[in-house]
Amino acid sequence: MHRLQKMAVAVIAVSLTCTTIYALDYPTRPVRIIVGFAAGSSVDLPARLLARRFTEGLGRPFVVENRGGAGGNLAAEMVARGWKDGHTLLLATNGIANAAAMGASYDPVKDFAPIIAIATGPQMLVARRSLQIDNLQQLIALAKQHPNEITYGGGTGFTMTGLAGVLLNSMATIELRHIPYPGSAPALVDLLAERLDLLFAPALAVMSHVEKGELKAIATTSAMRSSIAPDVPTMAEAGVPGYELSLWYGLVGPAGMPREAIDMLSRTANEALKSADVIEPLRAQGIEPLGGTPEDFARFIERETEKMAWMAKLGGLAK
């Protein structure tokens, strides 16, 4: 064999050997899962459940690191611009798609490597007890009779609780009036005091008040009924076909991280999402496990990004 040919074969062999060793050795040091919200938040739970299973299954510590700020944007930017070796990951939420619509410095489709869609959870539309409606069709009829008079509480700016009302207004051709709040807790106080007509909030945050008869559950915003509110219809079931706006949680790394690491994490996470010690804590918080391939999650992020861009324009929020 010609000397140059022998050298080429040797280089290829070394390259393949190194790739194999890398795949078997990942992770080589502790892995950080960055969460863009405070410890104890709903976003924190999926990260900690998976971190424990990764640590057990992959032989290195997986540590959750809470980096709050800018609605999760600081954490997302940190991971998008960080090392691409798979040792810094992001517990991603709707926020990455929302931020893109608002002119964030990163691209949720191009700057992240999707690993797995972890879970999804609905918001719930609830009404004050004295409002003269019992279901979504009655609410729509009342809103048509009194445009811009019926109020709903939701987050300030480009938040899921605020967008839920924007989407309902558009799809049902009504005019509910948005009253912005910095969070669900103060809006819930006003709803219970009947200073507000309606509220979009995470289902878990309002279910106890529904069960006590203090609020009326109208519908959930997800495609499927919630496990903690199986008797409450979805928006689509209740009279607005095609309505879907779920909270979601997934795991991503920076674009360019090794495919071997992505596959290893995806396999381990999919196994975890089938086990009772992960499923039960999620469902107790009103969150439904998902799972699937990295390609499934990539397509999901693309669809969500397109939807959020459309909704930003719809709500007059796009930059």
Side-chain angles (χ1 to χ4, degrees), residues 268-294:
T268 306
N270 271 299
E271 290 171 7
L273 290 170
K274 295 174 185 174
S275 64
D277 62 340
V278 173
I279 293 172
E280 290 174 5
L282 289 176
R283 286 185 171 159
Q285 296 296 313
I287 304 171
E288 292 295 325
L290 289 175
T293 67

Side-chain angles (χ1 to χ4, degrees), residues 131-133 136-150 169 172-176:
L131 191 64
Q132 297 301 302
I133 60 149
L136 186 59
Q137 290 289 6
Q138 291 175 358
L139 171 59
I140 291 170
L142 186 64
K144 287 182 183 293
Q145 293 171 12
H146 303 280
N148 208 37
E149 293 182 20
I150 299 174
N169 278 344
T173 61
I174 57 177
E175 293 181 44
L176 301 175

Side-chain angles (χ1 to χ4, degrees), residues 78-101:
M78 172 184 170
V79 174
R81 308 297 176 219
W83 291 100
K84 302 181 183 299
D85 59 3
H87 290 80
T88 303
L89 309 173
L90 175 70
L91 200 292
T93 69
N94 306 70
I96 64 170
N98 297 1

Side-chain angles (χ1 to χ4, degrees), residues 58-316:
L58 300 180
R60 296 279 183 177
F62 279 69
V63 180
V64 175
E65 191 173 306
N66 298 91
R67 292 287 190 98
N73 240 9
L74 295 182
E77 289 176 353
M78 172 184 170
V79 174
R81 308 297 176 219
W83 291 100
K84 302 181 183 299
D85 59 3
H87 290 80
T88 303
L89 309 173
L90 175 70
L91 200 292
T93 69
N94 306 70
I96 64 170
N98 297 1
M102 296 300 290
S105 64
Y106 59 84
D107 185 316
V109 175
K110 296 179 181 178
D111 291 338
F112 295 108
I115 297 168
I116 188 169
I118 299 170
T120 184
Q123 297 180 72
M124 184 178 288
L125 175 61
V126 290
R128 60 179 170 85
R129 186 169 53 183
S130 62
L131 191 64
Q132 297 301 302
I133 60 149
D134 292 308
N135 56 53
L136 186 59
Q137 290 289 6
Q138 291 175 358
L139 171 59
I140 291 170
L142 186 64
K144 287 182 183 293
Q145 293 171 12
H146 303 280
N148 208 37
E149 293 182 20
I150 299 174
T151 58
Y152 76 93
T156 58
F158 200 68
T159 58
M160 297 302 289
T161 52
L163 290 174
V166 170
L167 187 59
L168 179 57
N169 278 344
S170 174
M171 295 187 72
T173 61
I174 57 177
E175 293 181 44
L176 301 175
R177 180 157 54 93
H178 180 208
I179 308 298
Y181 286 85
S184 296
L188 181 57
V189 169
D190 280 356
L191 186 68
L192 290 167
E194 307 220 338
R195 293 187 290 267
L196 190 66
D197 296 318
L198 304 165
L199 174 64
F200 286 95
L204 188 68
V206 294
M207 268 309 296
S208 63
H209 298 287
V210 170
E211 291 167 349
K212 294 174 187 174
E214 297 170 341
L215 298 173
K216 299 176 184 179
I218 305 302
T220 59
T221 64
S222 53
M224 299 179 294
R225 293 195 182 197
S226 170
S227 59
I228 64 168
D231 296 330
V232 180
T234 66
M235 288 281 195
E237 291 174 325
V240 185
Y243 187 107
E244 195 272 323
L245 192 69
S246 298
L247 305 169
W248 56 263
Y249 313 86
L251 188 68
V252 302
M257 69 177 280
R259 180 68 202 206
E260 295 89 347
I262 292 172
D263 289 341
M264 191 176 294
L265 292 165
S266 178
R267 284 194 300 270
T268 306
N270 271 299
E271 290 171 7
L273 290 170
K274 295 174 185 174
S275 64
D277 62 340
V278 173
I279 293 172
E280 290 174 5
L282 289 176
R283 286 185 171 159
Q285 296 296 313
I287 304 171
E288 292 295 325
L290 289 175
T293 67
E295 289 74 22
D296 292 334
F297 192 29
R299 288 189 290 270
F300 177 82
I301 291 173
E302 288 179 8
R303 291 194 302 270
E304 285 291 293
T305 301
E306 291 170 0
K307 180 194 288 185
M308 291 302 107
W310 171 72
M311 290 188 67
K313 292 177 182 177
L314 184 68

